[in-house]
Amino acid sequence: MSQRVNYNQQSPEIVHSLMEISKQLSKSEISQTLRDMVNIRASQINGCAFCIDMHVKEARIHGERDLRVHHVQVWRESTLFNAQERAALEWTEAVTKLTAEGISDEIYNRVKEHFSEKQMSDLTLAIGLINQWNRLSIAFRAVPGSADKFFGLDKAGMN
């Protein structure tokens, strides 16, 4: 597989803006662990190999246990996630798989038990951002691992 378009080169100002949003989200009340799990789960749902590769490596660099990363896809059955992480993963699925009916009050009410309004807003922005990155990477066939050196992901020791 080869990349169709290098969106970093073709739209550098916009890509830079997306990266700035990511920097701002790293300063939010949403923990790095939650952001890693959200990024992995949305990327799994969307089938984005580039982003799964990137965010699994990031999670490892951030100290996440391998088994938890492997369990992200089956979080509902796993005992490795606490209530807040489960809520974040449920919200990730709901926001990523939007339907014509939207997101039910039942899901929203379950998730808001674990997050303030500010945290809900930041979490939803983080989910929206990873979905945007997924769409770019899938549309233009970004090659998994091709940006490891640029992002420092070679430090994960997974190549």
Side-chain angles (χ1 to χ4, degrees), residues 30 34 84 87-88 111-117 119-120 123:
I30 304 301
L34 279 181
Q84 186 184 52
V111 173
K112 80 172 188 169
E113 289 178 24
H114 302 280
F115 298 98
S116 68
E117 286 187 0
Q119 290 170 325
M120 286 286 294
L123 179 60

Side-chain angles (χ1 to χ4, degrees), residues 5-64:
V5 172
N6 185 328
Y7 50 85
N8 293 309
Q9 290 176 352
Q10 298 305 314
S11 305
E13 298 85 9
I14 298 169
V15 169
H16 178 74
S17 294
L18 291 174
M19 288 184 177
E20 283 299 314
I21 294 169
S22 184
K23 273 175 140 176
Q24 291 301 312
L25 285 167
S26 72
K27 299 173 189 174
S28 77
E29 295 176 23
I30 304 301
S31 72
Q32 184 64 61
T33 297
L34 279 181
R35 288 193 319 277
D36 287 339
M37 295 300 158
V38 161
N39 288 339
I40 292 168
R41 186 64 191 124
S43 299
Q44 289 171 336
I45 292 166
N46 290 322
C48 184
F50 180 87
C51 293
I52 292 169
D53 180 86
M54 170 182 277
H55 297 298
V56 164
K57 290 172 182 172
E58 283 180 339
R60 174 176 263 190
I61 289 168
H62 299 143
E64 188 55 71

Side-chain angles (χ1 to χ4, degrees), residues 40-145:
I40 292 168
R41 186 64 191 124
S43 299
Q44 289 171 336
I45 292 166
N46 290 322
C48 184
F50 180 87
C51 293
I52 292 169
D53 180 86
M54 170 182 277
H55 297 298
V56 164
K57 290 172 182 172
E58 283 180 339
R60 174 176 263 190
I61 289 168
H62 299 143
E64 188 55 71
R65 296 185 343 237
D66 288 344
L67 188 57
R68 279 175 39 97
V69 171
H70 289 295
H71 279 224
V72 169
Q73 188 164 353
V74 293
W75 66 268
R76 290 178 194 277
E77 293 82 25
S78 177
T79 59
L80 301 179
F81 302 99
N82 66 35
Q84 186 184 52
E85 291 167 334
R86 290 175 170 289
L89 290 166
E90 182 172 22
W91 192 244
T92 300
E93 290 183 358
V95 172
T96 299
K97 299 179 193 178
L98 289 175
T99 66
E101 295 79 30
I103 299 172
S104 72
D105 287 340
E106 180 183 358
I107 292 173
Y108 173 78
N109 289 329
R110 240 186 344 261
V111 173
K112 80 172 188 169
E113 289 178 24
H114 302 280
F115 298 98
S116 68
E117 286 187 0
K118 167 81 166 100
Q119 290 170 325
M120 286 286 294
S121 179
D122 289 350
L123 179 60
T124 306
L125 286 163
I127 296 165
L129 182 62
I130 188 56
N131 275 279
Q132 177 60 52
W133 286 119
N134 290 165
R135 280 145 180 76
L136 283 168
S137 296
I138 291 169
F140 296 127
R141 293 186 179 157
V143 178

